[in-house]
Amino acid sequence: MKLKALIASASLVFATLAASPGANAAGTLNVALHQDPGNWDPIATFLVSWGAVGSQIFDGLIVRTPDMKLAPGLATKWEFLDKNSKIRFHLRPNVKFHNGEPCDAEAVKFTFDRMLGDEGKKGPQQSNYNSIDKVVVVDPLTVDFVMKNPDPVLLTKLAGYGAMIVPPKYIKEKGSQFFGMNPVGTGPFKFVEYKPKVSLGLERNAAYWGGAPKIDHLNYRFIGEPATQAAELQAGRIDVANQIPLAMIETLKKDPKLAVVSMDGPVALALRYNTKRGIMQNRDVRKALTMAVDRDAIIKSVLLGNAKPIASFQGTLSFGNDPALKPLPFNPAQAKAMLQKAGVKPGTAIQIDFRGPDSNFREVAQAVAGYLQAVGITATLKPYDINVLLNDIIPNGKTGEMWQNQWGGWTFDYDNTAYAMYYTKQRWNPFDDDAKLNALLHQQRNTWDQNARKTTLHEIARYVADQALEMPLYSLNTIYGLNKRAKNLELPADGRFRFVNATVE
């Protein structure tokens, strides 16, 4: 099904649950997230769990609606000038940050000067916006983005995490560290309290420029185990679970108080190879291991059909996905022959690193290990705390032979994924340095021509597949467990909630 149809179907689910309560409904919506990002500064993060909160506290110049369309945010309109070398944004008047300071052209300039400067170097977002040379204030409600070079994904990225507009005076007075723990934005909800690894409390911004939210309070709880999220949902202590064990879906559906929605999503999963370690230095070995694993069977038996096979590290919703590119076939006999030819001895040991709290992927990793055992490879599973894996083990090149690679594809464009994964010395590419791949990545970024970009992105995907940099696994459905007392949730495929219209009974 197409994404619009899926979202429409999800909307119908809620339309049939109960009639919408009145516009003055109040109360608290309780939401479970699988991870605490640990910092609420927009330039400090890349995590989907941040996005699930960030759009409540902050606004960008542009917003992306649940049906994937770009719409005016803090900018009411924009135009390309000087042969597309400049983009002029006209700002919404009379918008204030939660602390009362004005959100104007100076705030926009401060936001991007900060992100593109020394402060931005500390986080993972800066490379997404390096096409911007500078931001020039034209007048209090007009700014120009002067471009170094074309950036065909910039407008989409301006609706993303790092480009949320932040308050200059507040940050200058309090400092970035304080701001990261006590965020202030222009969004529909205001920060109240943050208990690291426990919860985040927000309250309604009655003066929100887009109209005050219907609920008074929004409470996030950080619950890493999907089974615990499901248990809390069943007990009525949360209204939205963003991860539940797939084996519990049918049980939850049978509960008259609950509902489950599964829709096509942007999250791709793969097992990335450490190409500098042991047998993984051999491309044919990497291809053999990929062919040794029956990904279709894993999707059917472990994921219960809530995923789709992939040939590259992106789902079908991604711009640049090539439907003509097919995954390597499951062929254990050929895999064994290739391993033997490469001189890999039976019983050779490897390590697979994965996110420890992710019980769904733990089952996937166990299945992969079983398939590898059948071709003579002994795989040991190494669970990690999510933040340790993402902030230390992977970026510092300390992984085993394989590791769980998971990406939300927040731009729904292969550019963002491919550049972050494969460009030399990027955070998620601690091992590979490929001049040809670097050149292709630059080529598709250096044009506004979307048809030319698509051709190059297809070439990138084919090249990565030929080099076998990863074992593509699947594109995972976005699945929510819900309490039916929560209405009008407008559930997004990318996990980036906006609960402005949500109500609770």
Side-chain angles (χ1 to χ4, degrees):
M1 296 176 65
K2 298 294 185 182
L3 179 62
K4 288 183 178 179
L6 285 162
I7 292 173
S9 298
S11 300
L12 286 173
V13 170
F14 296 105
T16 60
L17 296 181
S20 297
N24 296 320
T28 299
L29 183 70
N30 296 297
V31 181
L33 294 180
H34 64 286
Q35 184 179 6
D36 176 2
N39 190 324
W40 301 106
D41 187 333
I43 64 173
T45 189
F46 51 84
L47 299 173
V48 172
S49 55
W50 191 96
V53 176
S55 295
Q56 318 288 0
I57 301 173
F58 300 98
D59 292 306
L61 296 174
I62 300 172
V63 300
R64 188 169 63 207
T65 61
D67 64 355
M68 303 293 296
K69 293 181 179 178
L70 297 180
L74 293 175
T76 57
K77 62 179 180 178
W78 50 91
E79 55 195 326
F80 286 80
L81 304 172
D82 300 343
K83 297 181 180 179
N84 297 332
S85 66
K86 182 190 298 182
I87 310 174
R88 176 163 292 178
F89 292 91
H90 301 270
L91 306 181
R92 196 175 296 277
N94 304 316
V95 176
K96 293 185 181 298
F97 290 99
H98 300 152
N99 66 336
E101 66 178 285
C103 180
D104 54 14
E106 291 292 346
V108 175
K109 177 175 171 56
F110 172 84
T111 295
F112 286 91
D113 286 351
R114 178 174 181 260
M115 179 169 60
L116 296 173
D118 291 339
E119 192 66 34
K121 290 179 182 178
K122 301 175 185 177
Q125 286 289 344
Q126 189 179 85
S127 65
N128 288 321
Y129 303 92
N130 277 335
S131 60
I132 302 169
D133 183 32
K134 59 184 176 180
V135 174
V136 177
V137 173
V138 178
D139 61 46
L141 291 177
T142 310
V143 293
D144 285 345
F145 280 39
V146 180
M147 306 300 294
K148 294 178 184 175
N149 48 262
D151 186 345
V153 198
L154 180 63
L155 294 182
T156 299
K157 290 188 289 193
L158 291 179
Y161 300 10
M164 300 293 189
I165 308 303
V166 299
K169 182 179 177 182
Y170 181 79
I171 293 176
K172 290 175 183 177
E173 290 180 351
K174 301 291 188 178
S176 292
Q177 185 174 356
F178 183 88
F179 172 62
M181 298 294 107
N182 302 269
V184 166
T186 61
F189 291 91
K190 299 187 291 184
F191 171 79
V192 175
E193 182 182 37
Y194 173 44
K195 297 178 181 178
K197 298 186 178 181
V198 178
S199 64
L200 174 73
L202 308 177
E203 66 181 7
R204 172 167 57 174
N205 176 12
Y208 184 52
W209 59 265
K214 308 288 193 301
I215 55 174
D216 289 329
H217 300 283
L218 177 56
N219 184 48
Y220 288 93
R221 291 177 55 197
F222 306 115
I223 303 174
E225 284 286 351
T228 306
Q229 286 201 24
E232 291 295 281
L233 185 68
Q234 290 174 307
R237 289 188 285 267
I238 61 173
D239 302 304
V240 180
N242 83 324
Q243 285 197 356
I244 55 176
L246 299 175
M248 290 191 67
I249 288 178
E250 292 306 315
T251 299
L252 295 178
K253 283 182 176 180
K254 292 176 182 177
D255 188 324
K257 304 186 301 297
L258 306 179
V260 176
V261 171
S262 178
M263 65 179 77
D264 216 352
V267 176
L269 286 99
L271 283 167
R272 184 75 177 261
Y273 293 115
N274 179 341
T275 58
K276 301 300 183 186
R277 183 163 172 169
I279 63 172
M280 299 305 178
Q281 297 175 73
N282 186 320
R283 181 184 66 170
D284 289 341
V285 169
R286 301 193 298 266
K287 285 190 173 183
L289 297 188
T290 301
M291 295 175 70
V293 176
D294 190 344
R295 282 91 70 203
D296 288 334
I298 288 175
I299 291 171
K300 182 178 179 180
S301 61
V302 178
L303 303 177
L304 305 179
N306 289 285
K308 295 179 178 62
I310 55 175
S312 58
F313 197 42
Q314 58 184 323
T316 57
L317 300 178
S318 169
F319 180 86
N321 183 62
D322 184 359
L325 181 64
K326 303 301 180 184
L328 284 173
F330 172 54
N331 191 331
Q334 185 176 347
K336 289 182 77 170
M338 291 171 68
L339 291 172
Q340 184 177 12
K341 184 178 180 180
V344 178
K345 297 179 180 180
T348 295
I350 66 169
Q351 179 177 300
I352 300 176
D353 301 334
F354 71 101
R355 304 179 183 194
D358 188 344
S359 59
N360 290 330
F361 193 82
R362 186 185 301 122
E363 291 188 39
V364 171
Q366 290 169 345
V368 169
Y371 283 114
L372 296 183
Q373 185 70 43
V375 296
I377 301 296
T378 301
T380 300
L381 305 184
K382 174 72 171 178
Y384 281 98
D385 173 84
I386 295 177
N387 286 333
V388 171
L389 181 64
L390 299 185
N391 295 318
D392 179 21
I393 302 301
I394 295 174
N396 291 317
K398 295 155 61 174
T399 72
E401 284 77 8
M402 302 170 71
W403 78 87
Q404 178 186 357
N405 207 22
Q406 180 170 321
W407 195 247
W410 59 275
T411 61
F412 288 86
D413 191 299
Y414 189 43
D415 160 83
N416 173 255
T417 301
Y419 196 93
M421 297 300 128
Y422 313 125
Y423 195 81
T424 299
K425 293 185 178 179
Q426 284 295 298
R427 182 185 185 93
W428 308 116
N429 181 27
F431 304 115
D432 299 302
D433 182 4
D434 190 314
K436 179 177 179 178
L437 198 47
N438 288 347
L440 287 170
L441 289 164
H442 273 302
Q443 178 180 320
Q444 64 84 28
R445 278 195 166 186
N446 201 36
T447 178
W448 297 104
D449 186 332
Q450 298 294 352
N451 289 327
R453 285 189 65 237
K454 183 179 289 187
T455 298
T456 306
L457 290 172
H458 286 181
E459 186 176 354
I460 290 169
R462 289 193 295 270
Y463 184 77
V464 170
D466 181 64
Q467 295 299 307
L469 299 183
E470 65 217 355
M471 178 192 297
L473 292 173
Y474 48 82
S475 173
L476 190 63
N477 282 13
T478 299
I479 303 171
Y480 299 110
L482 308 159
N483 191 309
K484 292 181 180 180
R485 69 186 173 199
K487 316 294 184 194
N488 306 314
L489 296 178
E490 298 176 353
L491 298 172
D494 61 358
R496 293 179 61 192
F497 299 120
R498 287 274 286 188
F499 290 128
V500 178
N501 297 314
T503 57
V504 291
E505 292 183 345

